[in-house]
Amino acid sequence: VQLQASGGGLVQAGGSLRLSCAASGRTFRSYAMGWFRQAAGKEREFVATISWGGGHTHYADSVKGRFTISRDNAKNTAYLQMNSLKPEDTAVYYCAASSGSYIYIHEYDHWGQGTLVTVSS
């Protein structure tokens, strides 16, 4: 599966953005999907994951209650709705796919290019 993330940009603190991850191929629905991010000078970190059917999600504590991951298997697309953004959310955001369980964040092995999110204070 090939992935392409989009939707990043510059937003003020407290604002919202929605990221999209478009996938190629007819097997999208068989993959768990995830969003990860990497801030400048830091390691990449897990943000949120969703099961292949969309019925199960998992969030990092830092984004719980503010971000929502979803997917539309008919459109081969995953989303990350980000609300109440903070300057510390500034990072390059990556979408990824896993043929394993959505919960195992180290098993995501298909990666898209990143999209930059910048949150100004």
Side-chain angles (χ1 to χ4, degrees):
V1 62
Q2 292 185 319
L3 307 171
Q4 183 166 356
S6 62
L10 174 64
V11 63
Q12 289 188 331
S16 298
L17 278 176
R18 188 176 81 155
L19 306 183
S20 298
C21 177
S24 64
R26 292 178 290 180
T27 59
F28 174 75
R29 65 181 66 246
S30 67
Y31 287 92
M33 296 297 297
W35 288 95
F36 297 76
R37 67 186 182 186
Q38 187 168 19
K42 295 186 177 181
E43 294 187 352
R44 187 164 57 193
E45 64 177 4
F46 150 72
V47 175
T49 59
I50 188 167
S51 60
W52 63 268
H56 301 279
T57 57
H58 179 43
Y59 294 94
D61 288 343
S62 59
V63 307
K64 275 181 185 176
R66 300 188 299 121
F67 290 12
T68 303
I69 189 171
S70 61
R71 66 189 296 160
D72 185 339
N73 286 344
K75 295 183 178 180
N76 281 11
T77 303
Y79 305 96
L80 185 68
Q81 177 67 43
M82 305 185 294
N83 298 330
S84 302
L85 282 161
K86 305 175 181 179
E88 52 263 43
D89 294 318
T90 295
V92 177
Y93 283 71
Y94 299 88
C95 62
S98 170
S99 56
S101 171
Y102 74 101
I103 204 75
Y104 299 129
I105 60 175
H106 298 296
E107 293 186 358
Y108 284 78
D109 53 2
H110 300 274
W111 294 86
Q113 93 294 352
T115 185
L116 177 63
V117 172
T118 303
V119 184
S120 63
S121 56

